[in-house]
Amino acid sequence: MLMAEQELEILHGYELRLLRCTLTSPSSNIHLKSQMLNDQSPSIAPLHAYINNLIDSIESGNYLQALASDAARIVIGSLEFDFTDTAECADQVYSELLHRVEAFIVNDSENDMDKACRVVLVTCLAVAALFWFIQCNMIGPLVGDLPKCCFPLKVSETEGNELVEWENWARNQLMSAGSDLVGKFSYLQHIVFAKMLLMKTRDLVFDATVSLVYGIRSIPWWLTRILIIHQRILDERSSSLFDLLKVCMAETLQHFGTLENVTTYWGNQLHDIEPSDIISIAHLEAGLLEHIYGRVDPCRQHFELAELAAGLQLSLTGSLGFRTVHQVEPKAQMVLVANTNSSNTPDTGASINQGIHTRYSAIEDPSEVFMTPKLLENDHEFKSGAQCLASGGSVTHLTTTQQAVIMAQCLLIEKSSRQDEMQRWDMAPYIEAIDSQPSSYFILRFFCDILRIRWEATRSRTKGRALEMMDKLVEGVYNSSPEVAHRIPFCFVVYVPTFPALRKEYGELLVSCGLIGEAIKIFEDLELWDNLIYCNCLLGKKAASVELIKARLSEMPNDPRLWCSLGDVTNNDTCYEKALEVSDDKSARAKRSLARSAYNRGDYEASKLLWESAMGLNSLYPDGWFALGAAALKARDIEKALDGFTRAVQLDPENGEAWNNIACLHMIKKKSKESFIAFKEALKFKRNSWQLWENYGHVALDVGNVRQALEAVQMVLNMTGNKRIDTELLERITRELEGRASTTHSECSAATNNYIDANLAYPTDSPVESVNESASEESIVGRSQETEHLMQLFGKILQRIVQSESRADMWGLYARWLKIKGDLTMCCEALLKQVRSYQGSDLWKDRDRFKKFANASLELCKVYMAISSSTGSRRELFAAEMHLKNTLKQAEGFSDMEEYRDLQACLDEVKMKLQPDPVAT
């Protein structure tokens, strides 16, 4: 049992050594490595020697040496194939490799411990292949042209080691996730090889063939890193990769997300690595994953946990200082303040090795703007243990993990705030905090400089410095110093762009500076055809782009990106169909382009089907779901349209158009509650659309929210200058308020009668009933006050309308509102204006108009009679009689209408009221 525990500790030590390559510089590993070898039992299995040799090569940065070692040969064996540079041969060879890996782990092992050693050996090969890909495509230094294959093959067998079709096969494997690559990458077979090995190994580890007792817990972590790198080289987010990443990251945090799990797993083998650093790194990588897929809240949670584990507490404050050379008086500057735990504070006297870099001293700064603000020495008054992270004051020395935590805050700001100038200024304190550090790892400084370039490129006074910094940054990729082993630490923690993405960003910066010729060279080298077309169009050379793409197609006829770009520039669907053919129906971009083309020519059913197919390849494309919803709506497929718009807002909650469409579809389906909620979301992002406010008013009234309906009416009037008046909505609001007013009046009368009856029956000895009556009375009073407030608000709206535009229907609504208020005199005036608005030469020729005129006249005469009854005056009755007689005399042509008979009956009633009362005898 003791021997098994020792063997298990050795296996865990191998995992830690691999992980240590991404956490610390290699100079600190030599002593630990030799110590572990001396502590091992002399009876260890022969596989341990292979594992140690592999890890030695990985730690020293010799990744190709590791892939070509004897350890790799015992896993791969001898490949007996007739090697040709074709995609079919590549697929056959790599499929055979997976079978050999499975046989190597499962069939060739003697016992569980032997199986576990074989798992570690395969994991080391995968890590070596991953690191080589990262060196060649992310961190450098770049090397010359070397064999493209991940395993040794004879030169004669591989036709000069070009393996062009093998690389195309690897590219298609990566693009099968549903997106094109962001540019031209090299050694794509290595990341495919690493992913295949770890996917197969993980499946075997979680299978019954390998005992879980010896399961290697770091495999999900390494697989997560590979999948994130895979996502980062794609041009769009991939839904299939996200599904895998969620599972693998959950396993990683389960194993290494708490202090107890980390210390239990590695114990005293950690040595110079703090367990809290491993926890912090795990949460930083989890937060980076959420950032990539736009999930802000989980991203913030993981970054907060990483900050807590790193013993860091960050806050922002203001401090007086200078930001430019010619500034005379100090101004308030936003700076970062950090509280650090003493246990996590690094030794400031430690020597700085070549893996730790200071800022670019080679950049001559002609700008008058300081890189970091010069703060006043006497302006630093912070709480105990807190220090200002900016130049000009006492700067605290942060660990590399703490610096990574600070850099992560920039990602959070970028994802959670609006893309404007202020966003970069919000990042500025964090960027300047890292700039103020006396030393940082290469990758942290690299990312900090990227953020500074993006910030300063938006400011005219510093744009030249940003361009120079970017030029130096791109050149630094080719420098041989520092070595790759010193560049690897923290490369999975910070979101540095890949080389093609970096050079693409450089090209876009050149375009913004007017250097289009230089940008074209970069885009052509990276095979970024869309950017190249854009630049040539700026220069008026669109035909040159077409010729260039056709020339490239003659060399690479199976590249779907080229066919899609040619289709974009020529507007030819045949090119997209060819892209689907060469990609084996896996080009999501080609399907999206065909779907747009079908929509533009009016074939909505075909467009809907193409969008469904495209989103099946990659569902993490918000614009695609919106387009699917639009096509389905045109094709009269309401359910599919609603599903498309719903998926669009799930991916992009700020898509106001999609929210509006969802609300309208719910209106069509008579689902007022769901429509009301969707309209509220839409109005957060489209507050200047009077059409949206108008629809919102109708739905708000459907759910009984009169206040929101009135607010919608006010917004429509404000935005249209009182020109847009929704009579139907105002009519509905009037009926609602009339109903509320009558109900409130009835409730108040009933409550008063009940209160009188209760007091008569139970004068003083029934406290419970008294309390209930009081509560009921308060509830009625509350509803009455609410109705009164709504009445006042509605009255202001009607007054505003009738003052700006005299319309008969508006005078009628205004009269009804005055009647509810009990102001019969003003109600009479409003009705009189309504009646006069209908009068004219066309009145006695238009039956519809006469109908409205008759109803208004009838309402006017009723008000006349009501005033007469309340005041005892006969003047109103005479006015009613005169109006009715004149109307009936002129309306003899409408005597067959019911409205005519109603007017005649009203006249008879008025005459009855005008007759003198009989004298009593």
Side-chain angles (χ1 to χ4, degrees):
M1 186 63 181
L2 182 62
M3 181 63 68
E5 291 180 356
Q6 183 181 7
E7 294 279 347
L8 187 59
E9 184 178 352
I10 292 173
L11 289 178
H12 292 172
Y14 293 145
E15 291 183 87
L16 185 60
R17 286 178 62 188
L18 284 178
L19 186 63
R20 192 188 300 271
C21 294
T22 64
L23 297 179
T24 63
S25 59
S27 59
S28 60
N29 294 338
I30 299 175
H31 172 69
L32 298 174
K33 175 174 58 178
S34 60
Q35 182 180 358
M36 288 182 62
L37 288 172
N38 294 332
D39 292 342
Q40 290 178 3
S41 169
S43 60
I44 61 175
L47 288 176
H48 286 276
Y50 290 119
I51 295 173
N52 277 307
N53 290 334
L54 275 178
I55 299 179
D56 287 347
S57 299
I58 292 173
E59 288 175 337
S60 60
N62 297 319
Y63 309 127
L64 287 183
Q65 178 181 325
L67 293 172
S69 64
D70 294 336
R73 289 188 176 90
I74 68 168
V75 176
I76 298 172
S78 60
L79 296 172
E80 299 177 357
F81 286 98
D82 183 16
F83 292 102
T84 57
D85 187 16
T86 62
E88 293 77 11
C89 180
D91 189 66
Q92 184 181 6
V93 169
Y94 279 94
S95 297
E96 177 62 24
L97 279 179
L98 289 183
H99 292 303
R100 295 197 176 189
V101 168
E102 182 174 0
F104 173 75
I105 294 176
V106 179
N107 301 332
D108 299 344
S109 57
E110 299 176 357
N111 50 50
D112 287 342
M113 178 54 69
D114 192 36
K115 290 179 183 178
C117 288
R118 293 171 185 270
V119 168
V120 173
L121 183 58
V122 174
T123 303
C124 291
L125 285 177
V127 171
L130 173 64
F131 282 179
W132 174 249
F133 179 82
I134 290 174
Q135 175 183 348
C136 297
N137 295 280
M138 286 183 62
I139 60 175
L142 297 183
V143 294
D145 191 18
L146 295 172
K148 306 294 184 182
C149 192
C150 310
F151 40 86
L153 294 175
K154 294 181 180 179
V155 175
S156 60
E157 293 175 334
T158 59
E159 302 177 4
N161 283 333
E162 290 297 330
L163 294 177
V164 175
E165 291 302 321
W166 282 43
E167 282 292 283
N168 292 337
W169 170 85
R171 186 194 64 223
N172 290 334
Q173 291 293 314
L174 296 171
M175 290 169 56
S176 65
S179 172
D180 294 339
L181 301 185
V182 75
K184 182 181 179 181
F185 291 88
S186 57
Y187 302 98
L188 293 173
Q189 293 181 65
H190 287 76
I191 189 171
V192 174
F193 178 67
K195 181 180 176 181
M196 284 182 168
L197 289 184
L198 280 188
M199 289 287 288
K200 172 61 70 174
T201 305
R202 178 181 176 273
D203 293 341
L204 295 176
V205 167
F206 283 90
D207 189 67
T209 55
V210 177
S211 174
L212 291 178
V213 176
Y214 298 108
I216 310 303
R217 292 186 178 180
S218 61
I219 289 179
W221 198 345
W222 284 110
L223 184 56
T224 300
R225 290 173 164 180
I226 290 177
L227 294 174
I228 289 180
I229 296 298
H230 184 180
Q231 175 59 73
R232 289 170 62 179
I233 67 176
L234 296 180
D235 196 27
E236 299 164 358
R237 294 178 295 185
S238 167
S239 54
S240 59
L241 288 179
F242 183 51
D243 293 337
L244 282 173
L245 279 165
K246 287 190 294 186
V247 176
C248 295
M249 183 54 77
E251 295 173 5
T252 301
L253 294 177
Q254 180 183 357
H255 296 321
F256 304 110
T258 62
L259 184 64
E260 180 182 0
N261 289 346
V262 172
T263 53
T264 301
Y265 194 67
W266 278 304
N268 57 3
Q269 297 187 72
L270 292 171
H271 299 288
D272 61 331
I273 297 180
E274 291 286 342
S276 59
D277 286 342
I278 296 178
I279 300 168
S280 184
I281 295 301
H283 282 292
L284 283 175
E285 293 184 25
L288 178 60
L289 166 63
E290 303 295 352
H291 165 80
I292 291 173
Y293 287 93
R295 293 156 53 91
V296 177
D297 290 337
C299 175
R300 180 181 290 105
Q301 293 171 5
H302 285 299
F303 285 163
E304 288 175 353
L305 291 173
E307 183 179 333
L308 181 64
L312 195 63
Q313 186 177 357
L314 301 174
S315 61
L316 294 173
T317 188
S319 183
L320 292 177
F322 301 89
R323 189 166 285 277
T324 64
V325 174
H326 305 295
Q327 188 175 336
V328 178
E329 296 181 356
K331 302 292 183 181
Q333 309 294 334
M334 188 164 58
V335 295
L336 188 66
V337 177
N339 280 296
T340 58
N341 294 338
S342 57
S343 59
N344 285 348
T345 302
D347 181 12
T348 57
S351 60
I352 300 175
N353 58 46
Q354 62 170 331
I356 302 179
H357 281 240
T358 57
R359 71 171 358 274
Y360 282 97
S361 58
I363 296 178
E364 297 180 1
D365 187 9
S367 175
E368 61 182 17
V369 181
F370 294 136
M371 297 287 285
T372 57
K374 307 299 182 182
L375 304 181
L376 298 183
E377 294 286 349
N378 58 355
D379 197 49
H380 303 147
E381 297 180 0
F382 307 110
K383 296 180 180 179
S384 176
Q387 294 194 51
C388 174
L389 299 178
S391 61
S394 60
V395 180
T396 183
H397 292 260
L398 300 175
T399 66
T400 49
T401 303
Q402 291 170 341
Q403 293 182 35
V405 168
I406 292 176
M407 288 282 90
Q409 297 303 312
C410 294
L411 297 179
L412 186 59
I413 294 171
E414 184 178 43
K415 192 62 68 175
S416 60
S417 61
R418 179 182 290 273
Q419 300 280 343
D420 55 15
E421 183 181 358
M422 288 306 300
Q423 184 190 73
R424 297 299 176 184
W425 281 102
D426 290 338
M427 294 183 190
Y430 301 92
I431 298 172
E432 291 164 348
I434 301 302
D435 276 334
S436 68
Q437 290 295 303
S439 60
S440 298
Y441 275 138
F442 170 85
I443 205 70
L444 295 177
R445 180 65 64 194
F446 185 87
F447 183 54
C448 182
D449 287 334
I450 284 290
L451 293 177
R452 174 172 288 279
I453 290 169
R454 293 170 182 169
W455 171 34
E456 297 198 343
T458 61
R459 300 151 60 195
S460 58
R461 300 174 70 181
T462 57
K463 194 167 189 176
R465 184 168 67 191
L467 183 60
E468 185 181 0
M469 286 186 67
M470 178 63 88
D471 186 59
K472 295 291 184 182
L473 211 60
V474 173
E475 286 183 6
V477 169
Y478 300 90
N479 294 340
S480 59
S481 178
E483 298 177 352
V484 63
H486 296 281
R487 301 187 185 207
I488 281 287
F490 287 82
C491 68
F492 297 105
V493 176
V494 294
Y495 195 44
V496 294
T498 59
F499 287 161
L502 178 66
R503 295 186 64 199
K504 177 184 178 182
E505 195 170 338
Y506 182 32
E508 291 170 347
L509 181 58
L510 289 171
V511 171
S512 68
C513 294
L515 304 174
I516 299 177
E518 294 296 322
I520 285 178
K521 296 177 182 178
I522 295 175
F523 294 144
E524 184 176 349
D525 184 52
L526 293 175
E527 298 181 0
L528 295 173
W529 310 118
D530 295 335
N531 297 82
L532 185 64
I533 292 170
Y534 173 74
C535 289
N536 279 319
C537 289
L538 289 178
L539 298 176
K541 299 179 180 179
K542 184 178 179 180
S545 299
V546 177
E547 295 302 322
L548 177 61
I549 293 174
K550 288 182 177 179
R552 293 292 297 165
L553 277 172
S554 63
E555 301 175 9
M556 302 176 63
N558 295 327
D559 189 342
R561 296 175 302 166
L562 283 170
W563 286 109
C564 287
S565 296
L566 184 60
D568 291 342
V569 73
T570 60
N571 197 23
N572 189 347
D573 287 355
T574 306
C575 298
Y576 302 126
E577 293 169 357
K578 183 64 177 180
L580 284 178
E581 178 186 337
V582 299
S583 67
D584 195 21
D585 203 41
K586 293 181 180 179
S587 175
R589 176 182 172 184
K591 290 188 176 183
R592 292 197 292 261
S593 298
L594 287 172
R596 293 189 189 97
S597 179
Y599 185 90
N600 292 334
R601 66 173 180 267
D603 192 353
Y604 303 119
E605 188 65 32
S607 178
K608 182 188 73 171
L609 296 176
L610 284 167
W611 275 116
E612 284 183 303
S613 180
M615 301 315 293
L617 289 174
N618 183 12
S619 62
L620 295 181
Y621 187 71
D623 293 342
W625 286 114
F626 185 89
L628 171 60
L633 190 59
K634 290 285 189 178
R636 299 288 187 257
D637 190 345
I638 302 300
E639 293 299 328
K640 180 61 67 175
L642 185 59
D643 179 63
F645 294 131
T646 303
R647 295 290 295 271
V649 298
Q650 288 174 349
L651 295 176
D652 182 13
E654 298 184 1
N655 191 334
E657 290 286 355
W659 279 115
N660 176 62
N661 292 347
I662 291 172
C664 292
L665 289 173
H666 281 307
M667 283 182 67
I668 295 174
K669 298 177 69 176
K670 306 299 182 183
K671 294 184 177 180
S672 299
K673 184 178 180 180
E674 292 83 353
S675 182
F676 179 70
I677 295 172
F679 270 129
K680 289 185 71 173
E681 291 296 324
L683 286 170
K684 293 179 181 178
F685 313 106
K686 290 179 64 64
R687 297 191 64 83
N688 296 326
S689 171
W690 65 264
Q691 295 94 336
L692 204 158
W693 278 106
E694 191 170 85
N695 290 333
Y696 175 63
H698 283 280
V699 175
L701 201 58
D702 287 340
V703 298
N705 198 328
V706 181
R707 184 187 300 274
Q708 296 296 326
L710 291 174
E711 179 188 353
V713 173
Q714 283 184 318
M715 292 298 295
V716 172
L717 293 175
N718 291 338
M719 284 185 280
T720 61
N722 302 329
K723 298 298 182 183
R724 176 68 183 183
I725 301 172
D726 191 340
T727 307
E728 179 186 355
L729 179 57
L730 294 173
E731 172 71 27
R732 292 181 59 200
I733 294 174
T734 304
R735 289 199 302 266
E736 176 70 20
L737 292 179
E738 286 175 341
R740 289 195 179 196
S742 61
T743 302
T744 303
H745 178 73
S746 301
E747 288 178 347
C748 289
S749 300
T752 301
N753 294 334
N754 292 338
Y755 178 73
I756 294 174
D757 294 342
N759 277 299
L760 289 173
Y762 309 102
T764 57
D765 52 354
S766 183
V768 176
E769 286 79 355
S770 299
V771 171
N772 291 337
E773 292 293 340
S774 176
S776 177
E777 184 178 356
E778 289 179 0
S779 176
I780 293 172
V781 170
R783 290 197 295 271
S784 177
Q785 290 177 347
E786 180 186 4
T787 302
E788 182 63 26
H789 176 72
L790 294 175
M791 288 289 298
Q792 292 177 0
L793 182 59
F794 187 47
K796 291 179 180 178
I797 293 174
L798 291 176
Q799 290 171 1
R800 175 179 176 180
I801 294 174
V802 297
Q803 288 173 3
S804 63
E805 186 172 353
S806 181
R807 287 174 41 175
D809 50 358
M810 289 298 102
W811 282 115
L813 293 177
Y814 187 44
R816 291 167 65 180
W817 174 78
L818 290 168
K819 186 176 181 180
I820 300 173
K821 295 285 289 182
D823 192 345
L824 294 180
T825 302
M826 293 302 299
C827 176
C828 182
E829 293 291 332
L831 286 171
L832 191 58
K833 291 183 179 180
Q834 182 186 19
V835 170
R836 290 172 179 171
S837 297
Y838 284 125
Q839 290 177 338
S841 58
D842 296 336
L843 172 61
W844 313 112
K845 301 177 184 178
D846 190 340
R847 296 177 69 88
D848 290 335
R849 187 168 183 177
F850 172 74
K851 182 177 180 180
K852 296 177 182 179
F853 171 79
N855 290 329
S857 298
L858 191 62
E859 190 65 29
L860 173 63
C861 293
K862 289 180 180 179
V863 174
Y864 276 147
M865 288 187 284
I867 295 174
S868 176
S869 298
S870 62
T871 62
S873 173
R874 295 168 62 88
R875 183 167 60 90
E876 288 78 10
L877 293 176
F878 287 124
E881 181 186 28
M882 182 181 298
H883 176 70
L884 289 170
K885 284 182 177 180
N886 291 334
T887 300
L888 290 170
K889 182 178 180 180
Q890 298 181 73
E892 291 179 353
F894 304 114
S895 58
D896 59 326
M897 295 181 63
E898 183 180 353
E899 286 75 16
Y900 183 90
R901 292 190 291 272
D902 290 340
L903 291 173
Q904 185 64 57
C906 184
L907 177 60
D908 295 339
E909 184 179 356
V910 170
K911 289 180 178 180
M912 288 286 296
K913 290 182 179 294
L914 285 172
Q915 291 179 2
D917 294 334
V919 180
T921 58

